[in-house]
Amino acid sequence: MKETTSLENNKSSPKNPKQPIRLRLKRWFFGLGKEFSRVTWMHYVDVIKIFITVIIICAIISVIFLGIDSLYFSLGKK
């Protein structure tokens, strides 16, 4: 008597045969549209505030690195 292993029992045959790419893309875009409708988007004013904050922080960090780089460059020239 042959014993079957769990791997042999779990062989899954595809439930759905492979669908045409056109149908799969249509379903994907439909699902994408549904997800976008569920997303809670930030208000325009909040996005602008965060954008300006990020730009200011990047500018401050850039100035700090520029100062450190200039200091090391001037010390290396001597």
Side-chain angles (χ1 to χ4, degrees):
M1 202 192 279
K2 183 181 177 186
E3 293 183 22
T4 59
T5 63
S6 62
L7 290 176
E8 290 174 357
N9 289 338
N10 288 337
K11 286 183 182 177
S12 60
S13 61
K15 294 179 182 177
N16 295 336
K18 194 166 185 172
Q19 298 171 346
I21 187 129
R22 191 169 133 196
L23 182 61
R24 288 185 290 169
L25 283 174
K26 183 178 177 181
R27 283 186 180 173
W28 185 77
F29 278 112
F30 179 73
L32 192 65
K34 285 177 71 174
E35 285 295 321
F36 274 123
S37 67
R38 292 180 189 163
V39 172
T40 305
W41 298 100
M42 295 177 66
H43 295 287
Y44 180 76
V45 175
D46 294 334
V47 172
I48 297 299
K49 285 179 185 177
I50 292 172
F51 175 75
I52 291 172
T53 304
V54 168
I55 296 299
I56 290 171
I57 290 173
C58 288
I60 291 171
I61 291 173
S62 297
V63 168
I64 290 171
F65 280 124
L66 179 66
I68 292 171
D69 188 48
S70 299
L71 179 69
Y72 278 119
F73 185 72
S74 66
L75 290 176
K77 263 188 157 180
K78 291 182 181 181

